[in-house]
Amino acid sequence: MSTVQASDFICILPQIILSGFAILVMVFEPFVPAARRVMLGWFALFAVASAGAALAWTSTLPGTAFGGSVEASFFSIFFMALFLLVAALCLLGSFDYLARDHVQHGEYYALILMATVGMCFMASSTELILVFLGLEISSISTYILAGFKRQDALSNESALKYFLLGSFATAFFLYGIAFVYGLSGTTNLTALAERIHAQSSPPIMLWVALLLMFIGLAFKVSTAPFHVWTPDVYQGAPAPVTAFLSVGPKAAAFAVMLRVFLVTFAGEGAVLFWLLWISAALTMIIGNLGALAQTNVKRMLAYSAIAHAGYVLVGLATGGEEGSASVMFYLLVYALMNVGAFLLIAHLAGTGEHWTNIEDFRGLGFERPGVAACLTALMLSLGGFPTTAGFLGKFYLFRAAVGAGLTGLTVIAVVTSVISVYYYLRLVVVMYMQEGTPQAPSAPMPWPLRVALAVCVAGIFLLGLFPGNVLTLAHLAAMPLP
Amino acid sequence: MRAVQIAGREPGGNRMEILLLFILIPPLVGAALNGIFGRRYSQALVSLIGCGASGIAMIFALAAAWTYSHSAADPAPIIQKYFTWIEAGAFRAEFALYYDRLTLVMTLTVTVVAFLIHIYSRGYMEHEGGYYRFFCYLNLFLFMMLVLVTASNYLLMFVGWEGVGLCSYLLIGFYFRKKSASDAGKKAFIVTRIGDAGLTLGVALLFWTFGSVDFQYLAARIDDATPGYMQGTLTAAALLLFLGAVGKSAQLPLYVWLPDAMEGPTPVSALIHAATMVTAGVYLVARSHVLFSHTPVALAVVGTVGALTAFFAATIALVQNDLKRLLAYSTISQLGYMFLACGVGVFSAGIFHLMTHAFFKSLLFLAAGSVMHAMSGELDMRKMGGLRHKLKTTWTTFLVATLAISGVPLFSGFFSKDEILVGVYEGPLGQHWMFWLAALTAAMTAFYMFRGLLMTFHGPPRVTPEAEHHLHESSSKMTLPLVILAFFSVVTGYVGWPATLGGGERFNAYLDPVFGHSVALLTAENMRVTDHRLSHLALMGLSIAAATAGILVAIWFYLRSTQVPGLLASRFDGLYQLLVRKYYVDEFYDWILVHPLRRLSESFLWKTVDAQSIDGIFVDGSAGLTFHAGRLLRRIQSGNLRSYATWILLGAVLWLGYILWH
């Protein structure tokens, strides 16, 4: 271990800023009158913006820090930028939601910042212990966030389930790390890769270690059969929190998967390949079929989130630069459309989220054409219609898969995504073609939410029509992976 | 072979980068503003945004032309790459703009005409509903047209191509409550779609063969190939592209949509269906000149279709009584001239005629719109006559345009048409029959245009008393653009003053760096003994004689002995009916295509295939199946925490078993 230098801190400057501001938010909280607490939210948003600026600076100084345990690379920067974007969007969508549902507390904003710190460490660290710490920081923050509506039984149930099952799953991950250390004597991914590649035939216990780590991460990204918690938790958690945890921790776990499975364990091709192949197929089938029968919009979107994890797994099974780049592109697209959808539902559901049944959206297309058009665009993108980013994202994933010879898996992916069109369009049909008036009282949309939605919808069309630049970035980020 | 230059650091390059983008941006912004907020804006603001956007685009087009002409790059093309638009495996399309002398001519023509028509529309659309909608579409159209002419690859050009088609559809059906208007919109959309299918296939074939859709790359690759290499593929690609051009530019046999497109507001007919969009096909052929010059067969098809269309449409125009439809058939005929020019290998003459035609034909339409305004919407020339006393400015400008299109010396049409006739006579692929057909068409053009002029503005008034009561000259908002266009209808011809009359044929020479290589190749490849029996002067004399004959006959028929046309019509009733009925082509298409298709769709596709098979088996069946599967899955989701943990454990154990078994 070399001595710690100033440049080491620059490498993790975004995380330092976020942590510092999170603490400040907590310190300020008692001194801010209840009516003004939204100021803390703006303060948190400022923190995210500052972290973004710091990230931009860090990106000009690529390298590793703290004895090679953290890195600043295109890969980590792509993901960290994604997390910051998600955090900013969710913050914008939360200000008025928290006030409406009478849970305007500073802890909320601090927890969002801390969860983001955890996710950033997951994406940027090359040291399994640090990855685990990041995973725990983000998990614990989101456990609390899921139960943030203390008076609400569903929210409490959601938090408890998430916490118990989450702890169960992270234990697998930690157990996997322990095995890795026992077998190779290191937890540094770079060193580990060298030792694995040096051996001609790796011991079977390495596969077990790999599997245990996979289970821990598979829980986070909710792949079948480790998805069972998802519908309950997503439905019960406050909708802006659902927006956050359906995207942030998921993308972070995928970042770890990309790094660990495609780089470190690259030698274990066949075992890993079928593991991912079967998981992807199962996840897509279960997610899409499960969504069909739902009558609650949040629950439907929860199953849709499972299905999308399945699509991303197709990209992981594909591997290589093409596969990894399309995974990263898809995660960005998925973040925009899912965050947009959940934030919009959070607004439409009304006080206490009373109106989340699909039937409650009847006639919305005529009552509030702008809002309905937004939701339609998001649904079309989730369903993968051309001109939206959802289409191109899937297109790149499936094209890479076909290019790598995964025709069977691609067929399953295409068929299940055709099925998915049914439940996405059902919402559109209800809004435009069914008589009736929307159930929730129509409150004007607060402007911070408008901004967040505008970013999501504009992003969907921008990436759907002009993916060039972002795709190049994804390729740059994926280059050192395979 | 040819100088390939990509602008980067050389002087003018960076400035061009900004200028080119700024030609495109204003109309797009204008369309967005009027489209989103226009409903709330006042008419004055809507027209300010609409006209302002097109005006700024014109200023930037002028600035770009000036900068390009003073840059070191001229006459080589400047290619400005902005970003990679689509990248998928081997396929790559840049968002890049292409600027050479051809683009310069096209952008200037399009923006100047568009700007004047925007100004005219302020007055014309004043009392119509949907003012903001109109300006939104018009600006969007301008944007798409500019994308079309500045694109640097076929794919980006295709975006503009489809975009102008969309705007054309929206604007033809602008009065969407009127059934004939919305039907005409649909007809235009569907008929041009046939051509677009050809264009798409052509571009796909080019990509499949050469691995790119980039103009410059394709030109270089095709040029480097030995003559005769891949003749079949090149011919197929060229013919498929030409099919797209035939649809868009209303040539035989896909011209049927254009006359019906006159249902749209008159400024639209002037801008889209006369001056700009319909000439996109000519631009496509000219832009693909390298490809076409390597396939004489395809080029011969272009020339033949052009010559036949020019003649065919002119014969129909002879007997039209509706002023706008007369102009529509005349447009088809003139477009035929342009294709004829390209087909015989004198691309620059085709572009020259495109430019002069844009001015005088849009003037004719706008003047017709002014007449229509004065006549409370009447377009039947049999109910007009003697309007020149009441509509002085309209009459004068219409007369200038008529003289121009008839090919009367000193007016622009004379110069461009003469260049085409000379080209057909002497050009690399010219044929004698084409020349005589074109000369005959020229005479007919002069006849029917003067027939229209005389029936509308001269002779005894046949106006109904109530229409006469409203008869008035249009406001200066409308007449000013007419006067400016009349000026252009005269002077644009002078840039191509023929050598025979002591001029320098500057237009031809100006486009030589663009087309010269292809023309030289065609001349070398097709060793046709140039026929010099008729000198240029004699050809010119012939063209003037044709025009004069047409004009004199028209004057004789419609001013001196007005009973003659009626006598002729009854004497040759069969022929007359054939022309009035437009050769029964619409009826023929209905009989052979539309009705069988409709019967097939209704009885077989809808009732049997869709309702019974697809809905019954696939939709309901598969929906039922997936729903039952969904129900089953729901049962797993008990909500019980212990059972969830069990699922996770079960999954872990199963995976572990799989790993160890391996």
Side-chain angles (χ1 to χ4, degrees), chain A residues 186-377:
Chain A
T186 180
T187 49
N188 187 294
L189 287 169
T190 327
L192 179 62
E194 281 164 13
R195 285 181 207 182
I196 291 175
H197 295 312
Q199 289 168 320
S200 54
S201 65
I204 194 156
M205 283 317 280
L206 198 66
W207 290 348
V208 175
L210 176 107
L211 177 72
L212 290 172
M213 286 166 68
F214 174 76
I215 292 171
L217 295 169
F219 174 87
K220 280 285 154 196
V221 301
S222 56
T223 68
F226 311 106
H227 71 282
V228 275
W229 59 279
T230 317
D232 291 8
V233 172
Y234 281 15
Q235 189 185 357
V241 173
T242 313
F244 186 74
L245 66 91
S246 71
V247 172
K250 205 175 216 176
F254 273 122
V256 177
M257 279 194 179
L258 280 173
R259 202 192 277 282
V260 174
F261 298 151
L262 294 191
V263 183
T264 313
F265 286 91
E268 313 310 305
V271 176
L272 196 62
F273 173 74
W274 287 107
L275 188 66
L276 293 169
W277 199 102
I278 297 170
S279 291
L282 259 180
T283 309
M284 288 187 293
I285 292 170
I286 289 184
N288 281 316
L289 292 187
L292 282 178
Q294 302 306 323
T295 52
N296 182 297
V297 181
K298 277 173 85 181
R299 215 171 162 79
M300 181 196 92
L301 285 175
Y303 276 102
S304 130
I306 298 172
H308 283 273
Y311 305 138
V312 176
L313 279 180
V314 173
L316 272 167
T318 307
E321 190 194 318
E322 283 288 316
S324 314
S326 55
V327 163
M328 282 185 243
F329 183 76
Y330 197 77
L331 285 173
L332 174 62
V333 171
Y334 169 75
L336 287 172
M337 52 201 191
N338 227 37
V339 168
F342 272 116
L343 289 184
L344 200 50
I345 299 294
H347 171 68
L348 289 173
T351 312
E353 290 191 30
H354 278 302
W355 291 276
T356 50
N357 273 333
I358 292 177
E359 296 302 310
D360 296 339
F361 291 79
R362 267 184 306 198
L364 196 73
F366 305 100
E367 288 286 317
R368 308 180 69 180
V371 175
C374 248
L375 194 53
T376 305

Side-chain angles (χ1 to χ4, degrees), chain A residues 59-427:
Chain A
S59 68
T60 59
L61 307 161
T64 58
F66 294 107
S69 58
V70 184
E71 68 165 20
S73 60
F74 274 117
F75 178 81
S76 71
I77 285 156
F78 185 93
F79 273 102
M80 282 162 77
L82 174 60
F83 302 146
L84 292 178
L85 174 71
V86 169
L89 290 173
C90 290
L91 283 173
L92 280 170
S94 300
F95 298 156
D96 295 274
Y97 177 91
L98 296 181
R100 188 189 74 191
D101 284 12
H102 311 294
V103 281
Q104 186 73 273
H105 303 296
E107 294 91 335
Y108 182 93
Y109 303 115
L111 286 168
I112 292 260
L113 293 184
M114 283 318 293
T116 313
V117 171
M119 283 152 28
C120 287
F121 271 118
M122 284 168 80
S124 66
S125 112
T126 52
E127 165 68 46
L128 279 175
I129 298 296
L130 202 52
V131 170
F132 178 72
L133 280 179
L135 179 68
E136 279 298 88
I137 295 172
S138 78
S139 297
I140 291 169
S141 308
T142 45
Y143 298 153
I144 307 171
L145 283 170
F148 205 74
K149 289 207 266 185
R150 272 168 289 182
Q151 311 297 324
D152 187 67
L154 269 179
S155 180
N156 274 321
E157 182 195 332
S158 153
L160 196 64
K161 278 184 179 166
Y162 192 26
F163 168 62
L164 290 174
L165 295 172
S167 317
F168 187 41
T170 21
F172 280 97
F173 188 70
L174 194 59
Y175 205 25
I177 296 177
F179 268 119
V180 166
Y181 185 70
L183 287 165
S184 62
T186 180
T187 49
N188 187 294
L189 287 169
T190 327
L192 179 62
E194 281 164 13
R195 285 181 207 182
I196 291 175
H197 295 312
Q199 289 168 320
S200 54
S201 65
I204 194 156
M205 283 317 280
L206 198 66
W207 290 348
V208 175
L210 176 107
L211 177 72
L212 290 172
M213 286 166 68
F214 174 76
I215 292 171
L217 295 169
F219 174 87
K220 280 285 154 196
V221 301
S222 56
T223 68
F226 311 106
H227 71 282
V228 275
W229 59 279
T230 317
D232 291 8
V233 172
Y234 281 15
Q235 189 185 357
V241 173
T242 313
F244 186 74
L245 66 91
S246 71
V247 172
K250 205 175 216 176
F254 273 122
V256 177
M257 279 194 179
L258 280 173
R259 202 192 277 282
V260 174
F261 298 151
L262 294 191
V263 183
T264 313
F265 286 91
E268 313 310 305
V271 176
L272 196 62
F273 173 74
W274 287 107
L275 188 66
L276 293 169
W277 199 102
I278 297 170
S279 291
L282 259 180
T283 309
M284 288 187 293
I285 292 170
I286 289 184
N288 281 316
L289 292 187
L292 282 178
Q294 302 306 323
T295 52
N296 182 297
V297 181
K298 277 173 85 181
R299 215 171 162 79
M300 181 196 92
L301 285 175
Y303 276 102
S304 130
I306 298 172
H308 283 273
Y311 305 138
V312 176
L313 279 180
V314 173
L316 272 167
T318 307
E321 190 194 318
E322 283 288 316
S324 314
S326 55
V327 163
M328 282 185 243
F329 183 76
Y330 197 77
L331 285 173
L332 174 62
V333 171
Y334 169 75
L336 287 172
M337 52 201 191
N338 227 37
V339 168
F342 272 116
L343 289 184
L344 200 50
I345 299 294
H347 171 68
L348 289 173
T351 312
E353 290 191 30
H354 278 302
W355 291 276
T356 50
N357 273 333
I358 292 177
E359 296 302 310
D360 296 339
F361 291 79
R362 267 184 306 198
L364 196 73
F366 305 100
E367 288 286 317
R368 308 180 69 180
V371 175
C374 248
L375 194 53
T376 305
L378 292 164
M379 288 299 131
L380 290 180
S381 184
L382 282 166
F385 277 76
T387 71
T388 62
F391 167 74
L392 274 188
K394 271 188 194 150
F395 172 74
Y396 288 127
L397 276 177
F398 299 166
R399 190 176 54 95
V402 170
L406 276 69
T407 320
L409 192 57
T410 312
V411 169
I412 297 176
V414 171
V415 169
T416 52
S417 68
V418 168
I419 293 174
S420 79
V421 171
Y422 173 80
Y423 58 82
Y424 291 125
L425 281 190
R426 190 157 54 138
L427 198 57

